[in-house]
Amino acid sequence: MSPTESLKKADDNVFGRSRRQLTFYYSALMAAFLIVLVFIVHRSMNWAITSEEANELIDTANNLSYSQSRIIQHRAGEDSDDAFDIKSMSDRIFFYAFDRKGTMLSFARPTLDLEDFVLNTIMERKEGPDEVTLYIRQINGRERHIMMTSHPIMVGANPMGMVYVGKDVTTIYAGMRKATYTLTFVAFLALLIATVTGYLMAGKAMEPLQEAYATQRRFAADASHELRTPLAVVMASCDILENDPNFKEPFLRQIVADVRDEVKKMTRLVGDLLFVARSDNQAIKLMPRDFDLAAVAAQTMRMMQPLAEEKNITLKLEGAETVPVRADEEKIGQLMLIFVDNAIKYTNPGGSVTVTLPEPVKGKINFSVTDTGIGIAPADLNRIFDRFYRVDKARSREMGGNGLGLAIAHELAELYHGTIKVKSNLGQGTTFTVSLKDNSRNRNIIDVNQINKNG
């Protein structure tokens, strides 16, 4: 795969993930809006239907009460001119009129399957006059909605009985339920359309960002690569001047030494930037071989011993004496060096840094680095692997840090599909625990042993 193709694929991964996240957030917001909308519409329909049916029942109860009072007052029976015309009522409305002794004066019966429930409800009803109650019951295996109210029969100022009026509103509520289901289905279709539209629009919006991001990354990779040559030239010039016997002026030699130190810092930064650029472009190749992880750890300790001695820090290597592994020795050494170097930087003089190697586990590369340093605040734990992020900026500048060490460590761990766990307490120290998986089938791995075997 060419560098251009690798870069394009890496960009597609980054922006594809961002595009999916934007679509998800947009869809979640739209889903929440539609859910609230359906809920409000359903509750509004329920309130409108219930209030209208309740008003109809109350009006009917008032008319029936007045009719029964006229019947009682004039003894005119059901043929009285003042009697309420029962035929004008809806066929789903029923009523029962009782005098003060409980004798039934008049009635319009509900359907046979509802009559027992209605009569029992009348006997047990505790609600006051003109209070409308909706009863939902399972009757003969079917959910029924019955709405009932009552009104006293008044003759003058004297109550002479009570009228109970009800209505079977099952079909009305069933229709409302179907309307809600239909609205929910329409909202679901709208959500699907909005999700697809959001995904397409997010892609369109990201095209200029993707182009600018790719240009920036190409510039970082090219600049890092091109800077290595002039830095090497400057470093070589410093070496020549320092070794020149005619170059003895102390002031000038100090200037050359300072330039050399700065070039070293720049070289490390350029190397880190180049590694990050190659990681972004998926251009890093692993070259596994069989080696002893304990030997790599011992070599790392020897390399870092002068820096530790400057700060009077004790370096310790504990655990298994031999840990045979199969991996890219250079990358694993770089990973361990990053954590040991980071531990020394953030450990106060007189402290200690310990590298621990657990017993070998087949297919695993495990080690931990513990220091007695300043620790990491909980608020910073989630950001320490971000590029150019530094917990203690003043100390990092003093020690020459650029904020890429832990970011590179994270990239190296991801190459091996591994994890880095951090445990830290402010003022007590930090422990980084690294666990890498055997990914010998990774397409980015070049088997050195196989290369040597093939000549």
Side-chain angles (χ1 to χ4, degrees):
M1 181 181 294
S2 66
T4 303
E5 292 175 344
S6 299
L7 181 62
K8 186 177 184 301
K9 184 172 183 180
D11 288 345
D12 290 342
N13 290 336
V14 172
F15 284 92
R17 184 168 58 251
S18 300
R19 184 181 183 182
R20 289 190 294 272
Q21 289 177 346
L22 285 175
T23 304
F24 171 77
Y25 294 142
Y26 172 76
S27 300
L29 183 63
M30 182 61 68
F33 170 76
L34 291 174
I35 290 173
V36 172
L37 178 64
V38 171
F39 176 78
I40 292 176
V41 171
H42 173 76
R43 296 295 296 178
S44 299
M45 289 192 300
N46 185 76
W47 169 80
I49 291 173
T50 301
S51 60
E52 288 300 317
E53 294 297 328
N55 290 334
E56 181 185 8
L57 279 182
I58 291 174
D59 290 342
T60 303
N62 288 334
N63 291 331
L64 285 170
S65 174
Y66 177 76
S67 176
Q68 293 299 319
S69 66
R70 298 296 293 176
I71 292 173
I72 293 174
Q73 184 176 3
H74 296 286
R75 305 295 181 183
E78 293 184 357
D79 295 331
S80 171
D81 294 337
D82 295 323
F84 177 68
D85 186 6
I86 297 177
K87 294 181 180 180
S88 65
M89 296 190 309
S90 168
D91 57 352
R92 292 190 178 89
I93 293 182
F94 52 86
F95 77 93
Y96 290 90
F98 298 91
D99 61 14
R100 286 182 297 181
K101 297 180 179 180
T103 302
M104 186 178 297
L105 301 177
S106 180
F107 64 90
R109 299 171 62 183
T111 57
L112 293 178
D113 57 339
L114 293 179
E115 189 169 23
D116 290 340
F117 166 74
V118 171
L119 292 175
N120 291 332
T121 301
I122 291 174
M123 294 178 60
E124 299 173 359
R125 183 176 172 83
K126 298 179 181 179
E127 289 80 4
D130 295 331
E131 291 186 18
V132 179
T133 306
L134 177 65
Y135 300 94
I136 302 176
R137 296 290 187 275
Q138 289 287 338
I139 300 176
N140 295 333
R142 180 187 174 192
E143 186 178 83
R144 306 296 290 271
H145 292 67
I146 310 300
M147 189 175 287
M148 293 185 63
T149 188
S150 61
H151 193 80
I153 301 173
M154 304 295 294
V155 176
N158 300 317
M160 303 299 295
M162 187 71 71
V163 173
Y164 298 92
V165 183
K167 184 177 182 180
D168 182 4
V169 292
T170 302
T171 56
I172 297 175
Y173 279 88
M176 182 185 67
R177 186 164 53 247
K178 290 180 180 179
T180 302
Y181 290 157
T182 302
L183 182 61
T184 303
F185 178 73
V186 172
F188 178 74
L189 289 180
L191 179 61
L192 288 180
I193 295 173
T195 299
V196 174
T197 303
Y199 183 78
L200 296 176
M201 295 302 294
K204 289 291 184 182
M206 283 190 172
E207 285 180 358
L209 296 176
Q210 188 171 2
E211 183 178 352
Y213 182 65
T215 302
Q216 179 185 2
R217 281 187 23 195
R218 280 194 297 269
F219 170 78
D222 294 341
S224 300
H225 181 74
E226 294 299 328
L227 281 172
R228 300 181 73 181
T229 300
L231 287 174
V233 172
V234 175
M235 180 65 74
S237 300
C238 291
D239 291 339
I240 293 173
L241 289 174
E242 286 184 341
N243 295 327
D244 187 351
N246 298 321
F247 193 72
K248 297 180 180 180
E249 178 64 36
F251 177 71
L252 295 178
R253 293 185 69 86
Q254 182 61 49
I255 292 178
V256 172
D258 292 341
V259 170
R260 181 186 179 90
D261 291 340
E262 292 302 319
V263 170
K264 284 183 178 179
K265 294 179 183 178
M266 286 295 296
T267 302
R268 286 196 297 270
L269 175 59
V270 168
D272 291 345
L273 288 173
L274 188 57
F275 179 91
V276 170
R278 287 174 176 173
S279 175
D280 287 340
N281 298 341
Q282 297 183 347
I284 298 177
K285 299 297 182 181
L286 299 177
M287 303 180 69
R289 57 165 57 91
D290 297 324
F291 67 94
D292 185 4
L293 182 62
V296 171
Q299 181 183 7
T300 302
M301 304 296 267
R302 287 193 299 270
M303 292 173 57
M304 300 305 298
Q305 186 64 40
L307 181 59
E309 289 178 353
E310 289 181 6
K311 298 182 63 177
N312 192 26
I313 293 174
T314 303
L315 297 183
K316 302 177 184 178
L317 178 59
E318 299 178 350
E321 296 182 357
T322 303
V323 183
V325 297
R326 180 174 180 76
D328 189 318
E329 184 175 359
E330 180 183 353
K331 296 296 188 296
I332 298 302
Q334 181 183 6
L335 180 61
M336 188 176 294
L337 181 64
I338 288 172
F339 287 115
V340 175
D341 178 64
N342 191 74
I344 293 175
K345 287 179 180 178
Y346 290 94
T347 298
N348 294 321
S352 64
V353 175
T354 304
V355 176
T356 304
L357 301 177
E359 292 298 322
V361 178
K362 187 176 182 180
K364 293 280 188 179
I365 301 174
N366 300 318
F367 67 88
S368 63
V369 178
T370 303
D371 63 63
T372 58
I374 62 175
I376 304 172
D380 294 317
L381 285 176
N382 293 330
R383 299 196 59 191
I384 58 174
F385 294 106
D386 293 348
R387 297 173 183 177
F388 300 105
Y389 183 80
R390 292 176 290 189
V391 175
D392 189 338
K393 297 179 176 59
R395 184 184 293 254
S396 296
R397 285 192 295 267
E398 179 184 348
M399 300 300 295
N402 52 45
L404 284 175
L406 292 181
I408 292 175
H410 185 263
E411 297 287 348
L412 289 171
E414 285 194 338
L415 286 175
Y416 279 94
H417 306 296
T419 59
I420 302 175
K421 297 181 180 179
V422 188
K423 183 179 180 182
S424 182
N425 294 310
L426 281 176
Q428 299 181 17
T430 304
T431 297
F432 287 91
T433 302
V434 180
S435 179
L436 309 180
K437 298 179 181 179
D438 177 14
N439 61 347
S440 57
R441 298 179 182 178
N442 191 305
R443 62 178 178 81
N444 287 331
I445 288 182
I446 301 174
D447 196 326
V448 173
N449 293 342
Q450 188 65 31
I451 293 175
N452 294 335
K453 181 179 178 181
N454 295 335

